[in-house]
Amino acid sequence: MRRAVCPGSFDPITNGHLDIIGRASRLYDEVYVAVMINKAKKGLFEIEERIELIREVTSEYDNVRVEAFHGLLVDFCKQRDIPAIVKGLRAVSDFDYELQMAQMNNGLTGVETLFVPTNPTYSFLSSSLVKEVAQWGGDVSHLVPPAVLEALNKRLRQA
């Protein structure tokens, strides 16, 4: 069975993330979406909320699994026999950082990283940007799935 992982914080998941996950799901038998737990950072959504949203918006893909992880991504991969990490690249600036991570991950355990160019429609998109625009009342409905938009608007009304 060919397995891969799409890692990230997904706070919140965007249409750009979904594009990469969907494309990976067509290439691999099983795709894990690994939601990073970083206790040093306070996210807008709790980890369980992110996992629930990701499961909802990826439900059309029978081969996608969603799990949280803490620590090294290569350990997550080793525990699940995952030989490949799939990462979307938006710009050259992403490549500089991601190449270093890919080389480190490969050096640690032999896990390969595959870079997928982002759909040009989403080349500017990040979770941080979505949150910032939404906090100021901007329309992000074309940047996130409907369930995420609803959760985002609800969370921002509570703030």
Side-chain angles (χ1 to χ4, degrees):
M1 180 172 284
R2 295 170 303 141
R3 290 185 181 96
V5 62
C6 294
S9 58
F10 305 104
D11 187 35
I13 190 166
T14 69
N15 289 339
H17 293 130
L18 280 177
D19 176 57
I20 299 300
I21 294 165
R23 290 159 68 189
S25 77
R26 291 189 295 275
L27 297 171
Y28 290 92
D29 299 318
E30 196 168 42
V31 175
Y32 284 81
V33 176
V35 182
M36 183 180 69
I37 299 170
N38 184 346
K39 295 182 194 277
K41 290 175 88 175
K42 175 67 176 135
L44 183 63
F45 292 100
E46 298 296 326
I47 295 298
E48 285 305 318
E49 292 173 305
R50 293 181 216 175
I51 289 171
E52 185 178 317
L53 283 170
I54 296 166
R55 284 183 178 147
E56 182 175 347
V57 302
T58 62
S59 63
E60 70 184 87
Y61 305 114
D62 294 336
N63 62 337
V64 171
R65 314 279 174 259
V66 184
E67 293 184 20
F69 85 93
H70 181 266
L72 294 176
L73 180 59
V74 293
D75 290 339
F76 180 92
C77 292
K78 193 177 354 175
Q79 292 163 3
R80 290 158 186 81
D81 195 27
I82 299 171
I85 300 166
V86 176
K87 301 290 296 246
L89 292 180
R90 295 170 294 190
V92 172
S93 57
D94 284 349
F95 180 76
D96 290 339
Y97 174 75
E98 295 297 346
L99 179 62
Q100 291 175 6
M101 293 297 297
Q103 291 170 332
M104 176 63 78
N105 289 335
N106 185 266
L108 289 171
T109 62
V111 172
E112 295 290 349
T113 300
L114 286 88
F115 296 122
V116 179
T118 302
N119 180 321
T121 304
Y122 308 121
S123 63
F124 66 92
L125 189 53
S126 71
S127 295
S128 298
L129 189 56
V130 165
K131 288 185 287 193
E132 185 174 347
V133 170
Q135 285 173 334
W136 291 103
D139 179 14
V140 296
S141 61
H142 59 294
L143 305 176
V144 296
V148 174
L149 180 65
E150 183 180 327
L152 186 59
N153 287 336
K154 182 179 178 184
R155 179 58 43 90
L156 292 176
R157 282 194 300 271
Q158 294 172 352

